[in-house]
Amino acid sequence: MDLIRIDVDAYGPDKEAALSLAMRARAAFLSSGPGWSDGVAVFSDVTEDLMPFDNEEPVTREQRFTFSLSLYVYLRRKIVEH
């Protein structure tokens, strides 16, 4: 089993739009696992490491919300590279 850590930055023209995008992306990740498969890999679990938090870009002042997830994955079959 492997662990994949995903850090997501959701940007928007204002805090409300950035937060809305972050929450929709978070919901999509959390609702698709566990048990989701692409035929080769099986995502056995998805956990939230950090909930969306306000993380305004310090230089450009763009509105941004950041969150982190962990995906637990195992391979159903060996991947053959050509």
Side-chain angles (χ1 to χ4, degrees):
M1 181 172 301
D2 288 312
L3 171 66
I4 300 170
R5 168 96 186 244
I6 298 176
D7 298 319
V8 179
D9 292 321
Y11 290 85
D14 54 44
K15 284 186 189 282
E16 184 178 330
L19 178 58
S20 176
L21 178 59
M23 296 304 284
R24 286 193 319 258
R26 174 183 173 263
F29 274 111
L30 293 174
S31 68
S32 62
W36 181 83
S37 175
D38 69 353
V40 175
V42 176
F43 295 84
S44 62
D45 199 8
V46 179
T47 60
E48 184 172 51
D49 298 328
L50 290 172
M51 291 182 61
F53 64 93
D54 186 3
N55 191 15
E56 182 179 288
E57 186 69 44
V59 175
T60 64
R61 311 291 287 170
E62 291 177 284
Q63 300 304 309
R64 171 177 69 175
F65 277 78
T66 301
F67 66 95
S68 297
L69 301 162
S70 291
L71 306 175
Y72 296 86
V73 182
Y74 66 90
L75 297 178
R76 286 186 176 205
R77 62 179 184 252
K78 186 176 179 179
I79 297 174
V80 178
E81 294 185 25
H82 298 278

